[in-house]
Amino acid sequence: MIEIEDLQYRWPGDEHDTLSIERLTVESGERFFLRGPSGCGKSTLLSLLGGILVPDSGKVTVNDKVINRLTATQRDRWRSDNLGLIFQQFNLLPFLSVTENVLLPCRFSKLRLNRATSGGHTPVEEARRLLQALDLNPEDFSGTVGNLSVGQQQRVAAARALIGAPPLILADEPTAALDAETRDRFISLLLDEASAAGSTVLVVSHDLGMIPSFDRDMDLMSLNNNSSSVTSGDS
Amino acid sequence: MTVLRLAFASLWNRRSTVVLTVLAIAMSVALLLTVERVRHETRNSFANTVSGTDLIVGARSGSVQLLLYSVFRIGNATNNISWESYQDISRHPEVEWMLPVSLGDSHRGFRVMGTSQAYFTRFSYGRKRQLRFTDGQPFDDVFDAVLGAKVASALGYELGQSIIMSHGLGEGAIYTHDGQPFQVSGILAPTGTPVDRTIHVSLEGIEAMHVDWQQGAKIPGKETSLDEIRQRELIPKAVTAALIGLKRKTSTFRVQRFINEYREEPLLAILPGVALQELWGLLGVAEKALFLVSLFVVLAGLVGLVAVLMAGLAERRREMAILRSVGARPWQVFGLLCLESLLLTLLAIGVGLLLFYAVFLLGSQWLSSSYGLDMTLGLPLLREWGILGILVLAGLLAGVLPGLRAYGQSLADGMSIRV
């Protein structure tokens, strides 16, 4: 699913490479955990995988597509079709309902809309199914986002990342705002649903407590040949 | 479609901050429309007031002044035409008809005009429309009066009503002609011109009112009876102005020259159309200035809109990043801002139109009663639609700057949230 070869990336103005990765492979359907402290280049790596940043050299292949060879517009399109994203916190648009938040990717990607409705139901039904699968009650997702707890909000974000079964789900510290109990529940629900959808999951975090839930884990510090020289540029 | 829904939802979410901006633009739009409509209606109503009159004659003064006091009943004459000169001119071979206009008295704020019976058949307004009676007939007796439509409706007068004229103009005229009450003999149909607000009496009637007067003041203790007045030969000494219809249009300039070079008395003859043009020339500067000022008020409103959208962007970085993360392209983020600006402008125009009509409904009454300007309430005119169209475009353009900023931000931030 993910194939990184001889990747090098340096933030403009920096003296040293932020990231220098010789090789990283993540298999399709794998649940992959990438650990590392803050400031080691995790978010930069995610941006490279998401096609927001382009490496200075090397190759980033995701789902058999060399994304660093696409144009900016092609990458935009590719991203909306192939990627589900979960951030640390405040993932949701406060002015949309819970269901509408979940449906957002289907509004920007026809492919994901088609996949979401392939089971013969409407997009809204699919969104509700996902929300319920992620242990949210119908009375929770009929209201506005603001009434939800942080844990519930993260599960709504997960449902949004999952809708339309994107081949790859990237999560950047998705449990940072959760306590240990809700964290474990969140991760297991996310991974179960991703498996059901056949999505590959890559989570980056410094929270080592959830490693047991994953198929494989790796330390970015050891992966990154230039980790000692990281100065700034991400969080 | 998605972007439009997002724009709606996002704006609704920020309604408390945008509502004032919308209101500011709405008020400026209403102002612009009002200025434009008043300008249009004023021109229309002025242009419709006289038609078929080839020349207007008065004492020598400015042509605009003569036009204003003779037909629009605005301002006062500085001097009169002597009755001898009037008769002399009316005997000119090219003159088909000549209508005297004798002003100077009033009744409860409405002006009294002395004229001849021919006025009701010769005078025309708008597109050669004749005066029409809804009730009664032209004055016949010395003490008969014919009311304009507005006079009758405003004062609730009907045929046979007895009215007392005041000497001079204005509501609070002190001296009254209470010894010579007039009777309403006819009421005219509405014309939308100053005729509606005029009380017409015969020239003899004007003389009769002033029988016991000398040098602009009543002679104390003198009360000539009405019948005695009727017996007298009432010949006017002078009239304020006169309207002339010619036998042939081609002789207009010849007759005009004849009057302007009249030896017995300094007189002035004007072509109503030419004087009207002169009036527009005078008013044009003021009109343009007003229009420009209101245009700048709208511009200020739009700049306020840009400022509000720009200020909002800083706190909406997260929103943009989320949108990007769920697949929105940078140009869609740009479009979102433009759409928001457009929607707000459209809303402001809508509210502005409502405000405009509200002002219009309230103000037209006042304009009509104090200036005799009858405004017609209707759909926006072609030119107004044009102005609104330009405003819509300006609203869309106002979104470009914040749109570009958001575009740049979302390119730089990508999907990472940097707040």
Side-chain angles (χ1 to χ4, degrees), chain A residues 11 50 52 76-77 79-80 85 87 89-96 100 104-105 107-108 160, chain B residues 2 5-6 9-10 13 318-319 322-330 332 414-418:
Chain A
W11 280 101
I52 294 285
D76 278 334
R77 173 149 301 230
R79 187 186 314 120
S80 65
L85 284 150
F87 300 118
Q89 231 197 104
F90 306 121
N91 272 292
L92 308 177
L93 292 179
F95 51 83
L96 295 182
E100 278 175 324
L104 274 173
R107 305 249 183 254
F108 289 101
R160 188 175 64 196
Chain B
T2 304
R5 275 177 52 175
L6 283 172
S10 180
N13 190 45
R318 173 178 295 280
E319 184 184 326
I322 292 169
L323 284 175
R324 290 277 283 139
S325 79
V326 296
R329 325 269 192 273
Q332 284 173 314
M415 349 170 258
S416 53
I417 293 171
R418 296 167 186 274

Side-chain angles (χ1 to χ4, degrees), chain A residues 54 184 227:
Chain A
V54 183
D184 291 341
S227 59

Side-chain angles (χ1 to χ4, degrees), chain B residues 89-337:
Chain B
I89 293 166
S90 68
R91 282 191 292 265
H92 189 280
E94 289 295 337
V95 173
E96 188 181 0
W97 49 262
M98 190 160 172
L99 307 171
V101 173
S102 190
L103 300 163
D105 296 282
S106 65
H107 173 73
R108 294 178 64 178
F110 294 103
R111 296 211 182 192
V112 174
M113 180 181 116
T115 186
S116 61
Q117 275 199 0
Y119 183 80
F120 301 106
T121 52
R122 292 296 192 182
F123 183 79
S124 55
Y125 65 97
R127 287 188 189 147
K128 304 239 153 123
R129 286 166 68 183
Q130 302 279 305
L131 294 178
R132 215 163 41 75
F133 279 84
T134 46
D135 230 346
Q137 62 212 21
F139 42 74
D140 188 27
D141 183 59
V142 174
F143 296 105
D144 278 351
V146 171
L147 306 183
K150 201 128 246 167
V151 182
S153 67
L155 302 177
Y157 287 172
E158 286 171 13
L159 289 188
Q161 171 85 34
S162 170
I163 56 180
I164 307 259
M165 310 302 185
S166 308
H167 193 68
L169 309 168
E171 193 88 43
I174 308 162
Y175 301 108
T176 57
H177 301 288
D178 48 4
Q180 299 88 15
F182 279 68
Q183 298 255 315
V184 176
S185 74
I187 294 167
L188 293 169
T191 62
T193 73
V195 171
D196 293 352
R197 307 172 355 96
T198 304
I199 298 167
H200 307 82
V201 299
S202 62
L203 283 181
E204 291 77 18
I206 295 282
E207 284 310 304
M209 270 183 249
H210 299 94
V211 159
D212 297 329
W213 289 57
Q214 212 165 44
Q215 308 285 334
K218 202 169 177 185
I219 303 162
K222 204 164 174 217
E223 296 247 344
T224 315
S225 79
L226 299 187
D227 281 329
E228 202 178 318
I229 294 173
R230 283 198 180 94
Q231 298 306 315
R232 289 198 193 173
E233 200 182 354
L234 295 160
I235 297 168
K237 288 169 208 70
V239 295
T240 315
L243 311 179
I244 292 177
L246 297 173
K247 286 179 182 139
R248 292 170 299 162
K249 295 269 174 216
T250 47
S251 56
T252 307
F253 292 107
R254 197 145 23 96
V255 179
Q256 187 186 25
R257 200 168 335 111
F258 164 76
I259 296 168
N260 285 344
E261 291 168 0
Y262 193 67
R263 268 160 211 246
E264 317 297 318
E265 196 175 358
L267 294 178
L268 174 71
I270 56 165
L271 281 73
V274 175
L276 210 52
Q277 281 309 313
E278 214 171 299
L279 181 63
W280 296 148
L282 286 172
L283 293 181
V285 182
E287 280 176 356
K288 273 197 197 102
L290 258 181
F291 187 75
L292 267 179
V293 167
S294 36
L295 212 60
F296 273 106
V297 175
V298 175
L299 209 66
L302 286 175
V303 170
L305 176 66
V306 174
V308 163
L309 288 177
M310 292 290 258
L313 278 185
E315 49 198 79
R316 291 174 70 199
R317 267 186 118 133
R318 173 178 295 280
E319 184 184 326
M320 301 301 162
I322 292 169
L323 284 175
R324 290 277 283 139
S325 79
V326 296
R329 325 269 192 273
W331 66 262
Q332 284 173 314
V333 171
F334 171 78
L336 178 70
L337 266 294

Side-chain angles (χ1 to χ4, degrees), chain A residues 175-188 207 209-210:
Chain A
T175 59
L178 307 180
D179 57 51
E181 203 180 318
T182 43
R183 177 198 71 192
D184 291 341
R185 193 151 139 256
F186 171 77
I187 286 296
S188 75
D207 183 357
M210 51 182 152

